[in-house]
Amino acid sequence: MAVSKNSRNSRRFSFASPLVSVALSAIACAITMACAALYFYRSGVTLWPGDAEAHLNIARRIIDSRTPGISQLGTTWLPLPHILMIPFAAADHGPR
């Protein structure tokens, strides 16, 4: 099959640099995450699943249990969410 004259010299659309496309992708992701967080916050389901309640209970065990301490983190879950939730679990003035 013969190659047409126009296909040889055609240019593909591209941004000025890869940094621009990465920045646009990051902005689009940030906007999407902010909209999702706002939606779930307004719906009142930020701690709705049982999984989130389990994470909060593990954070609570770190400061308030028969044997409090870092050993309460366990091995089933990654410890970062529980460590971040400790201040909220320590504040006992929320609804019950």
Side-chain angles (χ1 to χ4, degrees):
M1 184 184 321
V3 177
S4 67
K5 294 179 184 179
N6 292 337
S7 65
R8 199 174 328 166
N9 298 326
S10 65
R11 295 181 183 172
R12 293 183 179 163
F13 176 76
S14 66
F15 291 107
S17 70
L19 184 61
V20 173
S21 61
V22 170
L24 288 176
S25 297
I27 291 170
C29 288
I31 290 172
T32 303
M33 288 186 293
C35 289
L38 184 64
Y39 170 77
F40 287 112
Y41 177 74
R42 286 186 177 174
S43 299
V45 292
T46 52
L47 286 178
W48 181 62
D51 185 46
E53 186 178 350
H55 286 296
L56 198 55
N57 287 337
I58 292 171
R60 180 68 183 199
R61 281 195 318 231
I62 294 171
I63 57 169
D64 185 25
S65 68
R66 288 185 183 189
T67 56
I70 201 78
S71 64
Q72 295 296 324
L73 284 175
T75 58
T76 306
W77 301 102
L78 294 175
L80 182 62
H82 310 129
I83 292 170
L84 295 175
M85 288 183 194
I86 289 173
F88 301 107
D92 197 18
H93 58 272
R96 294 177 189 221

